[in-house]
Amino acid sequence: MKDKAKHLQGDRLLAMLAALANPHRLRIVAALETGGRNYVSQLAREIGLSRPLLHLHLQKLEEAGLVTSQLELSSDGKALKYFDVAEFGVLLAPAAIAEAVKTLNLHEEE
């Protein structure tokens, strides 16, 4: 990622930080960045996670806009869901956080 860091809206910044605040998710992003796009079963084997657990983490990453997915059919007719890292950059400096806070949608604590 070459100098594409940008200021984010508050809620988007929170979603990205929350998604990345997990060691499994960091490993998933790293595996997709270094190894390229991959389908769930292969990625689960490479990372050492069960497919259901990997799906949960991938869903959180996709909701935050950090990975993308695409369903494809293999030559033998099996549906494979491929994931890839989305281009993203976060400028995490005090001034950027101060700007992001101005745009937070403050809702009740969950």
Side-chain angles (χ1 to χ4, degrees), residues 14-82:
L14 278 178
M16 290 176 78
L17 292 175
L20 292 171
N22 180 288
H24 294 306
R25 293 187 204 123
L26 287 177
R27 290 176 49 226
I28 292 166
V29 170
L32 291 171
E33 174 62 22
T34 58
R37 73 191 280 270
N38 208 340
Y39 62 98
V40 173
S41 295
Q42 181 63 33
L43 188 58
R45 284 189 292 273
E46 288 177 11
I47 293 178
L49 291 177
S50 69
R51 284 181 300 179
L53 183 57
L54 178 60
H55 268 289
L56 289 173
H57 288 302
L58 285 166
Q59 181 180 5
K60 182 80 169 177
L61 289 167
E62 192 168 24
E63 288 170 358
L66 301 173
V67 301
T68 59
S69 67
Q70 185 173 354
L71 194 60
E72 296 180 13
L73 291 178
S74 67
S75 58
D76 62 356
K78 285 177 54 177
L80 299 173
K81 192 165 189 180
Y82 282 87

